[in-house]
Amino acid sequence: MLLKQFVQLAAVLASAIPICNASALARNSRRQSTASKYVFAHFMVGIVENYTLDDWKSDMTTAMDIGIDAFALNCASVDSYTPTQLALAYQAAEEVGFKVFISFDFAYWTNGDTANITQYMQTYAGHAAQMQYNDAAVVSTFVGDSFDWTPVKAGTNHSIWALPNLQDPAEWSSDAQRSVDGAFSWYAWPTDGGNSIIPGPMTTIWDDRYISDLGNATYMAPVSPWFFTHFNSKNWVFICEDLPTRRWDEILTMQPDLVEIITWNDDGSSEWASGFPHDAWRDIYKPYIQAYKSGATTPTVDTEEIVYWYRPTPKGVTCTNDSLPAPNGIDLLSDSIFVATMLTKAATLTVTSGGNAAISVDVPAGIVTSNVTMGVGQQSFVLSRNGETILNGTGGLDIVDTCETYNYNVYVGSVTA
Ligand SMILES: *[C@@H]1O[C@H](CO)[C@@H](O)[C@H](O)[C@H]1NC(C)=O
Ligand SMILES: *[C@@H]1O[C@H](CO)[C@@H](O)[C@H](O)[C@H]1NC(C)=O
Ligand SMILES: *[C@@H]1O[C@H](CO)[C@@H](O)[C@H](O)[C@H]1NC(C)=O
Ligand SMILES: *[C@@H]1O[C@H](CO)[C@@H](O)[C@H](O)[C@H]1NC(C)=O
Ligand SMILES: *[C@@H]1O[C@H](CO)[C@@H](O)[C@H](O)[C@H]1NC(C)=O
Ligand SMILES: *[C@@H]1O[C@H](CO)[C@@H](O)[C@H](O)[C@H]1NC(C)=O
Ligand SMILES: *[C@@H]1O[C@H](CO)[C@@H](O)[C@H](O)[C@H]1NC(C)=O
């Protein structure tokens, strides 16, 4: 089922964001949290209109398998099935021992919806499956920066820990008057703000600003493996490339209070998601999540594995039957095959990409992403140690030099013993 994958995100920031011109700020050393670390995943309720209790339970157990603690249930005000699906999600979570919380999507909700939002919080804040943090019910948003949580807290008979999405960390000082307890950043990809595309690799410049501006308040950091969207109104790719491991390495260094993966499921754009599994990324995420929660600076690998990802065509290929131009950002991408090696001991990775000569790379223990130049044709991966083959497999998709429509999603696969 497609929704059990980490699929690229197609939701966008709804409004323009002022660019913060501060240089990277040092982490505020006063900031100390004694609360536990949790990892959440953003879940688009708007595309699961017909989910059954079992569908919910299945997604939740898959998420629990890699250490995800809760789904942030992104809800739009306009979907008539929101109350039904929220009730099913809370029930399913209670039955499988998972947690959930609501993330109000302010592309739809407005500052005038206080009464309805309060009603949802009153209904769910004390639910057995509600995610609690510091003994208060977690609630979050997509945008909605200026919403005042004071009356919602006053109208709910259970404590609330409000972690709205702030589009600019500099908004924090004024947010303090809106009864918020921290902030969630949506900057999981290299950007100067808004949806601007900048060269990779991803840095922690935005996280550093949030952490500095928030002081002792809760910072919920975003993690995402990829971003591609191909619509009339939004047609771009962020420069992610090695992001599936790089971002987690950054998280382990920063040790933010909380982490939210964006996102668990797609926006339903089967045109570029179907036939492009992302499941193997969960194998990488699992040891990283475990390391983050234990405060470790590197992940511990128990089972050796290769996880690879690559696009279906080199960027120079012109697609012949697309009503839209090639996505913005592709000039900044490299034509590469990316391979994360998960190793208990150093080994040699050999990648043969299409007609290119085989390339061998010495890779250390742990989780490391290597890359080789993309070649058209079959992709093959061999891991050897002391002259002995340990893992050997071929990519699940051949790279081609023709296409009808642009697809800058990646095929993600693995080679296991
Ligand atoms: C849900 O089911 C209804 C009725 O069968 C159908 O019209 C609708 O398209 C379905 N929604 C989704 C997202 O599959
Ligand atoms: C808000 O609550 C009112 C009164 O219960 C209801 O009529 C309306 O449909 C609700 N709106 C949303 C967006 O939930
Ligand atoms: C809080 O309100 C909910 C929903 O109305 C209710 O089920 C619950 O019993 C209330 N809890 C307390 C402590 O009053
Ligand atoms: C953060 O510090 C301020 C001022 O010292 C204090 O009022 C507030 O309760 C603290 N918040 C948390 C979440 O610790
Ligand atoms: C181009 O795409 C359109 C829309 O998907 C399709 O109807 C048409 O058959 C395609 N043309 C060719 C030459 O493949
Ligand atoms: C590919 O690997 C080389 C060597 O480690 C590195 O310098 C380069 O930045 C990588 N390219 C990308 C796009 O990650
Ligand atoms: C990898 O497997 C393929 C197909 O079974 C085989 O032809 C090839 O010799 C193997 N390579 C190594 C290095 O073991």
Side-chain angles (χ1 to χ4, degrees):
M1 185 189 299
L2 270 174
L3 298 172
K4 288 184 186 158
Q5 308 167 359
F6 289 112
V7 187
Q8 79 291 347
L9 180 93
V12 293
L13 292 168
S15 55
I17 298 166
I19 291 173
C20 183
N21 64 2
S23 55
L25 297 162
R27 182 171 177 167
N28 187 330
S29 58
R30 286 183 298 110
R31 196 164 149 279
Q32 296 276 335
S33 176
T34 52
S36 298
K37 302 231 181 66
Y38 297 102
V39 175
F40 310 134
H42 201 80
F43 188 109
M44 306 298 289
V45 177
I47 61 166
V48 300
E49 174 180 2
N50 298 321
Y51 249 31
T52 63
L53 186 66
D54 281 346
D55 291 332
W56 278 110
K57 287 161 87 167
S58 169
D59 274 21
M60 288 170 178
T61 50
T62 303
M64 286 165 75
D65 279 348
I66 64 164
I68 291 173
D69 299 288
F71 282 152
L73 300 169
N74 176 295
C75 292
S77 55
V78 290
D79 297 329
S80 59
Y81 48 85
T82 293
T84 313
Q85 287 302 334
L86 272 184
L88 282 175
Y90 272 87
Q91 183 187 343
E94 185 174 0
E95 289 184 19
V96 301
F98 192 60
K99 300 291 182 215
V100 287
F101 61 91
I102 300 176
S103 177
F104 292 94
D105 190 331
F106 274 77
Y108 303 96
W109 296 91
T110 70
N111 286 353
D113 287 324
T114 299
N116 296 64
I117 288 172
T118 304
Q119 173 145 24
Y120 274 116
M121 294 312 295
Q122 175 69 358
T123 302
Y124 287 117
H127 194 286
Q130 166 66 43
M131 180 70 212
Q132 307 285 344
Y133 187 65
N134 294 319
D135 298 322
V138 175
V139 63
S140 188
T141 65
F142 174 71
V143 296
D145 311 39
S146 61
F147 183 72
D148 186 359
W149 289 91
T150 313
V152 178
K153 287 186 171 184
T156 304
N157 70 359
H158 188 290
S159 301
I160 289 175
W161 203 262
L163 301 172
N165 171 210
L166 279 199
Q167 296 171 74
D168 185 340
E171 294 172 281
W172 174 254
S173 54
S174 53
D175 264 16
Q177 281 101 59
R178 290 196 283 272
S179 298
V180 305
D181 303 287
F184 170 44
S185 161
W186 200 259
Y187 294 127
W189 313 274
T191 179
D192 273 338
N195 293 318
S196 63
I197 301 161
I198 61 171
M202 176 79 180
T203 70
T204 61
I205 187 164
W206 281 105
D207 305 284
D208 295 342
R209 289 171 186 164
Y210 281 91
I211 287 170
S212 174
D213 288 354
L214 260 55
N216 64 353
T218 307
Y219 177 51
M220 184 153 74
V223 167
S224 181
W226 202 259
F227 186 112
F228 164 60
T229 173
H230 191 51
F231 290 115
N232 208 0
S233 54
K234 39 186 187 181
N235 183 21
W236 79 90
V237 58
F238 278 128
I239 314 308
C240 299
E241 313 225 284
D242 62 355
L243 197 61
T245 57
R246 178 182 291 273
R247 183 60 180 158
W248 276 110
D249 288 331
E250 292 172 355
I251 293 290
L252 297 191
T253 303
M254 286 190 289
Q255 293 286 339
D257 301 312
L258 300 168
V259 166
E260 185 170 315
I261 296 161
I262 45 182
T263 72
W264 178 257
N265 56 0
D266 191 17
D267 70 341
S269 316
S270 59
E271 195 184 315
W272 58 79
S274 127
F276 285 75
H278 287 180
D279 303 73
W281 273 336
R282 289 203 303 274
D283 297 351
I284 299 177
Y285 275 28
K286 184 175 183 169
Y288 272 115
I289 289 172
Q290 199 172 23
Y292 162 67
K293 289 187 183 178
S294 70
T297 52
T298 54
T300 300
V301 174
D302 296 322
T303 309
E304 299 200 310
E305 180 174 342
I306 290 171
V307 175
Y308 58 81
W309 58 94
Y310 52 82
R311 307 190 319 265
T313 47
K315 64 182 180 182
V317 174
T318 302
C319 297
T320 55
N321 190 18
D322 198 326
S323 58
L324 298 175
N328 291 326
I330 66 170
D331 294 346
L332 296 172
L333 290 172
S334 66
D335 281 337
S336 302
I337 309 298
F338 295 88
V339 187
T341 39
M342 301 170 65
L343 303 179
T344 56
K345 282 181 280 192
T348 302
L349 169 71
T350 303
V351 182
T352 309
S353 184
N356 295 348
I359 302 281
S360 289
V361 193
D362 289 331
V363 280
I367 305 183
V368 172
T369 296
S370 304
N371 67 77
V372 304
T373 301
M374 177 186 284
V376 171
Q378 183 179 267
Q379 310 302 312
S380 90
F381 308 95
V382 172
L383 189 78
S384 60
R385 189 178 283 132
N386 306 324
E388 203 177 310
T389 300
I390 299 164
L391 298 173
N392 177 7
T394 53
L397 182 78
D398 285 358
I399 291 180
V400 293
D401 57 4
T402 59
C403 51
E404 290 200 2
T405 53
Y406 291 100
N407 191 345
Y408 279 75
N409 189 2
V410 276
Y411 185 98
V412 184
S414 63
V415 184
T416 54

